[in-house]
PDB file of all heavy atoms in Angstrom:
ATOM      1  N   GLY A 118      28.841  14.624  25.961  1.00  0.00           N
ATOM      2  CA  GLY A 118      28.831  13.840  27.202  1.00  0.00           C
ATOM      3  C   GLY A 118      27.469  13.739  27.855  1.00  0.00           C
ATOM      4  O   GLY A 118      27.364  13.469  29.051  1.00  0.00           O
ATOM      5  N   ILE A 157      10.820   7.828  20.947  1.00  0.00           N
ATOM      6  CA  ILE A 157      10.264   8.726  19.929  1.00  0.00           C
ATOM      7  C   ILE A 157       8.909   9.200  20.446  1.00  0.00           C
ATOM      8  O   ILE A 157       8.026   8.385  20.711  1.00  0.00           O
ATOM      9  CB  ILE A 157      10.093   8.000  18.581  1.00  0.00           C
ATOM     10  CG1 ILE A 157      11.447   7.504  18.071  1.00  0.00           C
ATOM     11  CG2 ILE A 157       9.439   8.925  17.544  1.00  0.00           C
ATOM     12  CD1 ILE A 157      11.346   6.578  16.865  1.00  0.00           C
ATOM     13  N   VAL A 259      39.954  15.355   9.758  1.00  0.00           N
ATOM     14  CA  VAL A 259      40.648  16.638   9.606  1.00  0.00           C
ATOM     15  C   VAL A 259      39.662  17.795   9.710  1.00  0.00           C
ATOM     16  O   VAL A 259      39.891  18.775  10.422  1.00  0.00           O
ATOM     17  CB  VAL A 259      41.415  16.683   8.266  1.00  0.00           C
ATOM     18  CG1 VAL A 259      42.037  18.051   8.052  1.00  0.00           C
ATOM     19  CG2 VAL A 259      42.482  15.592   8.239  1.00  0.00           C
ATOM     20  N   GLY A 340      46.392  25.921  11.831  1.00  0.00           N
ATOM     21  CA  GLY A 340      45.256  24.998  11.735  1.00  0.00           C
ATOM     22  C   GLY A 340      45.680  23.595  12.099  1.00  0.00           C
ATOM     23  O   GLY A 340      46.416  23.379  13.069  1.00  0.00           O
TER      24      GLY A 340
END
Side-chain angles (χ1 to χ4, degrees):
Chain A
I157 299 170
V259 175

